[in-house]
């Protein structure tokens, strides 16, 4: 990345974050809640995009990492009464470990096999949630107790039933993930990742261990998706098996493809558009998931690079 | 009931499941073999077949066998036509890029499923079998319709074998499967073959849907299980290998029936999915396939 | 002329694809500092042979020793880290990155075995680009370069690795006569720092560059010698005419 490209991206991302921060003073209450959800889902999509957009691996099973975070945090809080920050940290660690194990196996395959294998592992994870219903309460899921609706942090008490608090926590998580990913991509390791994406064979013949490069990104991606899951469960106080289902894996893919794979802001944009669309449509019909199918096909046929990918191609080649 | 008859019953039930699975997986395997397309919407074609069978049964008055016979004909035709259109409008334009086509068939899955939800509604609805005759074994009675399903599957698999091995159309398909570029160079319209194969694969799924609906009821979410099971069968049997598919379908059908009786169905599904994912990683040519090199 | 320290030695090296013996028991020694050419009729197993050396293809039998170390079972990237660089027969670059970024990745690939003062990535990148004469195109998108320049970029990436051994797989394929003359100068320049192994069809290039020539035929080493010796070798002539 040249110096000017680095600066442009820095300004763009800082601008977007600033806008998101200011938004809470402008939006009406209902939309604050929705924006909070969007930001958490954007973290999930950002994690997915780290893998698809920057090292070129398309996973069809990312719901398993979201669920690993969700249940990692929710179950420890529900059954063991862990404090929320501790449960959150454990959940992120747990999803990173799951990603390490799954990645070590799944990354032996490529392309279509990789997609199918990740899909099947995620299906196993989903079935586990259903099977261990004594712990997870299966499809009905669990609501976290009232005691888990407040966080004690360095002497402060954060009230999670407050929409503003939740908004700012989600904002912080998104900002943190965005900054971390940006720093990673701008580093030497990030350069290797995109080199693997662009030309795997060449990169190996330049002396890089392609497998470990992929695994590293897989773990980053899984941990970020897990952080999103943990935040979702803790902020909204509910954990359920839907979050582990195939549909959640597909939504991460959809957000990323629509906004533009391989762009930092793309997933956020994709979440914004899709969640808004699904929200509107669900008022009209119970078959609102139709929009997932339509958008997937429209994007793959006519905008395979997504919105920001197309913008980059036409107007802003510096976009990271 | 003693163990012997009990095992006999479990085997019969397993064979019925294997029969339906065989037809469904054959469609998936055909499409993958010839087009190298992994069709994630395959289960929805089973569901569409079943739903169309319900419409046929409720629209055609008289003996249930008439509605069933009508469904056996029109279901595969309608579903095949839908798949044909989908192939022309979507898959062909993606130039059969493997990743892009998977994403597109996921899109297709949602479109088909949600459209059925709008048109047909969220209820599960039964369809009468074409005949009710019960066969009396010394230990229990057994639905003759289920035995009919097994027989139908044998006939259909025989027909597929005949078409692939003995007809010109089959020769063309095998040529396209063996080597797309060379087939094209020899003047085989590979492009049109793809559309026909995709339609045929969907038609087989629809046929399985019609056969299964008197046993299972028609529901807009019923496509998920056949999809997962056909994937398992095709992976175990070796991607694109028809004989491997048949062997694997019988194996999975039988063991799934028996395992589900002994363990919880969820646990059985969980373990088999995990094992199959590992097969795909470590034995990508299937358990019966020859090793590459 | 080369000193006589062996840099790379293969013994009984084999690679079979089913019944096809692409490389069938090759004993081969490459000495430090020389330029060695491998020639042979089509299908002789030349590309398979160098793929075995670079680790892109698994060995069926035999051993490969590089700088005194057995590297037979090492994955390709570890061999690169030990100093075996391979440039592809078909141009193989990062088409969407700039020329400088392409080389920059290669410089970074060398950082693994770099000891002492930290590498100055930008300076090393400039140095490699300068060596092949691409400095003026540093900010161009690699995929948009002319073919001849892409081949040069490929070599610059090889150089940026600072290899002990540089394997060039048909480097002059598709180049114009003028570009080939520049290429000859470039390789002679490189050989002052690295041993060069090249597969080449163009006899003019082979005869004017190589210190020694190895001839492969049907997966076996048919002959080895100076350019003059090879030119006069009856068996070699027969292999070429008979093929």
């Amino acid at each position: 990345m040249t110096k000017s490209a680095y600066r442009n991206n820095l300004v763009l991302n800082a601008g977007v974050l600033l806008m998101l921060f200011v938004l809470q003073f402008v939006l009406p209450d209902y939309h604050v809640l929705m924006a909070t959800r969007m930001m958490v889902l954007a973290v999930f999509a950002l994690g997915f995009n780290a893998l698809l957009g920057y090292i070129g691996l398309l996973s069809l099973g990312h719901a398993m990492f979201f669920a690993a975070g969700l249940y990692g945090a929710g179950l420890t809080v529900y059954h063991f009464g862990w404090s929320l920050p501790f449960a959150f940290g454990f959940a992120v660690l747990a999803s990173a470990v799951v990603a390490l194990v799954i990645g070590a196996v799944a990354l032996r395959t490529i392309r279509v096999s990789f997609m199918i294998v990740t899909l099947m592992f995620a299906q196993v994870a989903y079935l586990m949630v259903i099977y261990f219903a004594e712990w997870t309460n299966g499809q009905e899921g669990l609501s976290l107790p009232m005691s888990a609706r407040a966080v004690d942090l360095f002497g402060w008490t954060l009230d999670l039933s407050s929409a503003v608090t939740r908004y700012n926590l989600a904002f912080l998580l998104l900002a943190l993930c965005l900054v971390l990913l940006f720093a990673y991509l701008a580093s030497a390791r990030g350069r290797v990742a995109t080199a693997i994406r662009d030309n795997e064979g060449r990169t190996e013949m330049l002396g890089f261990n392609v497998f470990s490069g992929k695994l590293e990104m897989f773990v980053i991606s899984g941990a970020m998706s897990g952080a999103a899951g943990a935040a979702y469960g803790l902020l909204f106080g509910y954990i359920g098996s839907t979050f582990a289902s195939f549909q959640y894996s597909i939504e991460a893919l959809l957000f990323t493809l629509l906004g533009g794979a391989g762009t930092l802001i793309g997933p956020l944009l994709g979440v914004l558009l899709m969640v808004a669309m699904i929200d509107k449509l669900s008022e009209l019909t119970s078959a609102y998931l139709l929009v997932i199918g339509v958008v997937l096909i429209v994007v793959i046929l006519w905008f395979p690079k997504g919105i920001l990918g197309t913008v980059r191609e036409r107007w802003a080649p510096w976009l990271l | 009931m003693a163990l012997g008859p009990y095992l006999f019953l479990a085997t019969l039930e397993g064979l019925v499941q294997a029969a339906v699975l065989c037809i469904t997986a054959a469609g998936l395997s055909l499409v993958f073999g010839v087009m190298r397309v992994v069709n994630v919407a395959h289960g929805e074609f089973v569901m569409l077949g079943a739903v169309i069978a319900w419409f046929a049964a409720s629209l055609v008055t008289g003996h249930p066998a008439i509605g069933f016979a009508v469904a056996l004909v029109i279901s595969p035709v309608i579903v095949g036509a839908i798949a044909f259109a989908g192939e022309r409008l979507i898959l062909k334009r993606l130039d059969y890029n493997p990743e892009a086509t998977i994403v597109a068939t996921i899109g297709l899955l949602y479109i088909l499923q949600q459209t059925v939800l709008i048109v047909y509604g969220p209820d599960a609805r039964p369809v009468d079998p074409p005949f009710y005759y019960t066969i009396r074994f010394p230990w229990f009675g057994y639905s003759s319709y289920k035995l009919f399903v097994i027989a139908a599957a044998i006939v259909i698999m025989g027909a597929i074998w005949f078409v692939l091995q003995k007809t010109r159309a089959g020769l063309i398909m095998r040529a396209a499967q063996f080597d797309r570029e060379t087939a094209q160079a020899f003047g085989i319209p590979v492009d049109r073959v793809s559309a026909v194969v995709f339609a045929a694969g969907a038609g087989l799924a629809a046929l399985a849907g019609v056969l299964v609906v008197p046993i299972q009821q028609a529901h807009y979410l019923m496509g998920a299980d056949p999809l997962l099971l056909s994937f398992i069968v095709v992976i175990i049997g070796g991607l694109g290998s028809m004989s491997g598919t048949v062997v694997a379908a019988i194996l999975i059908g039988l063991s799934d029936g028996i395992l589900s009786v002994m363990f919880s169905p969820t646990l059985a599904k969980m373990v088999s999915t995990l094992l199959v994912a590992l097969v795909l990683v470590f034995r990508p040519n299937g358990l019966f396939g020859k090793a590459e090199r | 002329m080369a000193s006589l320290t062996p840099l790379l030695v293969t013994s009984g090296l084999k690679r079979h694809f089913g019944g096809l013996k692409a490389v069938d028991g090759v004993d081969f020694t490459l000495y430090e500092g020389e330029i060695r050419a491998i020639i042979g009729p089509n299908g002789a197993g030349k590309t398979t042979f160098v793929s075995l050396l670079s680790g892109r293809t698994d060995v069926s039998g035999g051993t490969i020793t590089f700088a005194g170390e057995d590297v037979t079972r090492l994955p390709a990237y570890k061999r690169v880290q030990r100093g075996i660089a391979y440039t592809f027969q078909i141009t193989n670059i990062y088409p969407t990155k700039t020329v400088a970024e392409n080389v920059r990745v290669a410089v970074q690939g060398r950082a693994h075995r770099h000891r002492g003062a930290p590498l100055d990535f930008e300076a090393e990148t400039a140095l490699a680009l300068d060596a092949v004469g691409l400095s003026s195109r540093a900010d161009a998108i690699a995929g948009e370069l002319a073919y001849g320049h892409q081949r040069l970029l490929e070599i610059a990436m090889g150089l940026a690795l600072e290899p002990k051994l540089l394997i060039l797989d048909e480097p002059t394929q598709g180049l114009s006569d003028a570009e080939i003359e520049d290429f000859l100068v470039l390789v002679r320049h490189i050989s002052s720092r690295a041993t060069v192994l090249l597969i080449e069809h163009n006899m003019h290039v082979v005869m004017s560059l190589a210190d020694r020539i190895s001839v492969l035929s049907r997966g076996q080493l048919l002959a080895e010698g100076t350019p003059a010796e090879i030119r006069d070798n009856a068996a070699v002539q027969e292999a070429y005419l008979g093929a």
Side-chain angles (χ1 to χ4, degrees):
Chain A
M1 207 169 15
T2 62
K3 288 219 167 60
S4 73
Y6 185 78
R7 200 190 50 230
N8 284 349
N9 282 300
L10 208 60
V11 170
L12 174 73
N13 286 288
V16 168
L17 286 177
L18 186 68
M19 221 166 65
L20 282 176
F21 182 72
V22 173
L23 214 54
Q24 59 182 311
F25 306 111
V26 186
L27 288 177
D29 284 354
Y30 169 73
H31 285 108
V32 166
L33 176 68
M34 191 149 136
T36 307
R37 255 193 79 218
M38 283 177 177
M39 285 191 291
V40 176
L41 289 178
V43 172
F44 181 29
L46 200 63
F48 181 85
N49 186 31
L51 197 61
L52 175 63
Y54 296 106
I55 209 158
L57 289 166
L58 205 170
S59 146
L60 289 180
H62 253 46
M64 78 181 127
F65 305 122
F66 190 83
L70 186 91
Y71 282 97
L75 292 181
T76 47
V77 167
Y78 188 90
H79 291 291
F80 310 135
W82 286 14
S83 74
L84 299 199
F86 199 52
F88 181 82
F90 170 77
V92 174
L93 190 69
S95 40
V97 170
V98 172
L100 184 70
V101 173
I102 298 287
V105 177
L107 287 170
R108 292 162 169 269
T109 62
I110 53 166
R111 306 192 69 183
V112 168
S113 300
F114 178 77
M115 296 164 81
I116 303 299
V117 165
T118 48
L119 189 158
M120 294 194 118
F121 278 134
Q123 189 63 26
V124 174
Y126 173 73
L127 291 168
M128 278 172 70
V129 170
I130 304 282
Y131 183 71
F132 294 105
E134 268 175 48
W135 286 83
T136 63
N137 201 23
Q139 277 169 335
E140 265 178 56
L142 299 166
S143 290
L144 299 185
M146 278 315 287
S147 60
R149 306 302 296 142
V151 195
D152 287 317
L153 208 61
F154 311 118
W156 294 344
T157 301
L158 298 176
D159 175 14
L160 286 189
S161 56
S162 146
V164 173
T165 307
R166 284 192 304 219
Y167 185 95
N168 284 296
L169 285 174
F171 171 77
L172 272 180
L173 181 65
L174 176 61
L176 183 70
C177 289
L178 202 59
V179 168
L180 282 179
L181 191 57
F182 183 71
Y184 182 86
L185 292 171
S187 76
R189 304 181 91 86
R191 182 176 289 109
V192 176
T194 54
I196 291 172
R197 173 193 68 190
D198 292 347
N199 192 336
E200 195 175 319
R202 174 80 255 187
T203 308
E204 177 166 32
M205 294 317 289
L206 291 178
F208 295 101
N209 185 344
V210 168
F211 182 83
S212 73
K214 285 178 175 176
L215 189 57
E216 184 173 309
M217 193 60 106
F218 199 84
V219 172
I220 292 174
S221 170
M224 242 178 227
S225 305
Y232 205 102
L234 296 179
L235 289 181
F236 301 111
Y238 168 77
I239 55 178
S241 66
T242 334
F243 299 110
S245 68
F246 179 61
Q247 188 192 320
Y248 259 71
S249 295
I250 297 312
E251 284 188 12
L253 167 69
L254 186 61
F255 300 148
T256 305
L257 280 185
L258 177 62
T263 64
L264 279 173
I265 304 296
L268 177 67
L269 188 65
V271 169
L272 193 78
L273 292 173
M274 276 319 297
V275 175
M277 246 191 288
I278 290 180
D279 193 59
K280 280 276 166 254
L281 203 66
S282 63
E283 290 167 11
L284 300 174
T285 166
S286 58
Y288 57 91
L289 294 178
L290 189 64
V291 70
I292 294 184
V294 173
V295 173
L296 269 182
I297 286 183
V298 167
V299 167
I300 203 84
L301 274 182
W302 289 294
F303 303 101
K305 296 198 161 73
I307 297 170
L308 288 186
T310 310
V311 167
R312 168 164 59 196
E313 203 173 44
R314 300 253 173 94
W315 299 291
W318 48 267
L319 199 62
L320 181 70
Chain B
M1 200 153 52
L3 186 65
Y6 184 74
L7 272 180
F8 181 55
L9 176 65
T11 308
L12 275 179
E13 288 288 303
L15 280 177
V16 173
Q17 192 179 357
V20 178
L21 194 50
C22 221
I23 304 168
T24 318
L28 192 69
S29 178
L30 186 69
V31 168
F32 182 82
V34 177
M35 302 169 65
R36 299 280 135 185
V37 163
V38 177
N39 179 18
V40 184
H42 197 67
E44 304 315 302
F45 291 140
V46 176
M47 179 274 289
L48 268 184
V51 167
I52 292 171
W54 180 84
F55 275 111
S58 54
L59 291 177
V60 178
T61 50
H63 194 273
I66 305 171
F68 183 80
V70 171
L72 267 186
V73 178
I74 65 162
S75 239
V77 171
I78 295 175
V79 173
I82 292 172
F84 189 90
E87 201 279 344
R88 292 287 86 174
L89 293 175
I90 302 169
L91 302 187
K92 177 176 145 77
R93 290 183 191 208
L94 295 173
D95 208 18
Y96 308 107
N97 172 294
E99 285 97 338
T101 46
I102 291 195
V103 174
T105 57
I106 293 171
L108 202 57
L109 178 158
Y110 279 103
I111 291 179
L112 294 175
Q113 182 194 83
Q114 298 292 310
T115 308
V116 169
L117 174 61
I118 294 171
V119 177
Y120 172 82
D123 305 324
R125 300 175 199 188
V127 172
D128 286 335
F131 41 87
Y132 274 109
Y133 182 72
T134 301
I135 295 175
R136 292 253 146 243
F137 291 108
W139 319 278
F140 53 80
Y142 200 70
S143 154
S144 61
Y145 176 73
K146 288 187 175 178
L147 295 180
F148 166 77
V149 170
I150 296 176
I154 293 172
V155 171
I156 291 167
M157 293 314 292
I160 294 175
W161 177 85
F162 181 80
V163 170
L164 282 179
Q165 299 297 329
K166 300 285 167 189
T167 67
R168 197 179 139 67
L171 183 69
I172 288 174
M173 280 186 218
R174 280 184 292 137
Q177 166 162 9
F178 186 68
D179 183 345
R180 249 184 123 78
E181 276 79 38
T182 311
Q184 195 131 32
F186 276 92
I188 292 174
V190 171
D191 182 57
R192 241 181 307 151
V193 171
S194 294
V196 172
V197 163
F198 197 67
L204 284 171
L207 211 50
V210 176
L211 287 174
V212 86
V213 76
I215 306 173
Q216 209 197 320
Q217 299 198 343
H219 183 242
Y220 82 106
L221 290 177
M222 71 187 283
D225 272 354
L227 177 70
L228 185 65
L229 285 173
S230 332
F231 263 106
I232 290 179
V233 164
V234 171
I235 289 167
I236 300 241
L239 298 170
S241 149
M242 201 52 88
S243 49
T245 300
V246 174
V247 176
I250 294 170
L251 194 75
I252 297 296
L254 281 177
S255 59
D256 193 62
I258 292 167
L259 286 178
S260 296
V261 171
M262 303 208 303
F263 306 101
S264 97
T266 311
L267 183 63
K269 234 193 272 180
M270 205 163 90
V271 173
S272 56
T273 309
L274 183 64
L275 290 179
V276 167
L278 295 176
V279 167
L280 189 54
V281 174
F282 295 103
R283 293 289 306 266
N285 293 309
L287 290 182
F288 312 115
K290 295 182 205 84
E292 238 170 311
R293 285 170 200 173
Chain C
M1 188 55 211
S3 68
L4 286 179
T5 318
L7 177 65
L8 180 133
V9 179
T10 76
S11 95
L13 195 61
K14 285 194 189 100
R15 173 65 212 196
H16 298 172
F17 297 99
L20 177 72
K21 297 173 176 175
V23 172
D24 191 21
V26 172
D27 297 316
F28 173 86
T29 303
L30 186 65
Y31 296 99
E32 232 165 66
E34 69 172 326
I35 301 180
R36 176 77 66 94
I38 296 181
I39 62 170
N42 282 325
K46 304 184 294 287
T47 290
T48 307
F49 179 66
V50 294
S51 293
L52 293 173
L53 301 186
S54 67
R56 299 180 67 227
T57 304
D58 288 339
V59 168
S60 308
T63 59
I64 305 168
T65 313
F66 180 72
E69 182 192 7
D70 184 347
V71 298
T72 316
R73 300 287 158 199
L74 279 190
Y77 75 92
K78 285 195 176 160
R79 298 191 205 186
V80 178
Q81 289 174 4
R82 280 162 176 68
I84 304 179
Y86 175 85
T87 71
F88 288 79
Q89 180 175 10
I90 301 157
T91 308
N92 202 340
I93 53 177
Y94 303 109
T96 59
K97 291 183 191 279
T98 66
V99 169
E101 278 168 348
N102 267 272
V103 177
R104 175 74 167 66
V105 179
V107 173
Q108 200 175 314
R110 181 174 121 210
H112 290 285
R113 63 191 163 93
H114 189 77
R115 302 273 184 272
L119 272 178
D120 182 342
F121 289 119
E122 305 315 318
E124 295 290 329
T125 303
L127 215 60
L129 283 176
D130 197 42
V132 299
L134 276 180
S135 302
S136 62
R137 310 300 311 273
D139 293 326
I141 300 296
E144 294 168 4
L145 289 181
Y147 180 76
H149 284 163
Q150 291 193 3
R151 300 258 24 160
L152 287 177
L153 174 56
E154 179 95 40
I155 292 170
M157 290 165 85
L159 283 181
L161 288 168
E162 252 187 21
K164 291 181 193 148
L165 167 62
L166 181 62
I167 300 175
L168 301 168
D169 194 349
E170 305 215 4
T172 65
Q173 203 179 35
L175 295 190
S176 71
D177 287 349
E179 285 171 331
I180 288 179
E181 292 312 312
D182 291 344
F183 173 78
L184 295 181
V185 175
L186 176 60
V187 173
R188 287 200 193 97
H189 182 67
I190 293 170
S191 75
S192 64
R193 286 185 289 165
T195 307
V196 175
L197 177 64
L198 100 154
I199 295 184
E200 186 55 66
H201 275 129
N202 183 326
M203 278 304 148
H204 165 61
V205 173
V206 172
M207 292 301 166
S208 45
L209 272 184
D211 298 319
R212 289 175 72 79
I213 298 173
S214 301
V215 185
L216 277 184
S217 176
R218 296 163 194 236
Q220 295 181 328
L221 199 59
L222 184 69
E224 206 165 80
T226 62
E229 286 164 6
I230 294 298
R231 200 178 299 143
D232 300 334
N233 186 314
V236 174
Q237 286 169 7
E238 192 195 348
Y240 265 90
L241 296 176

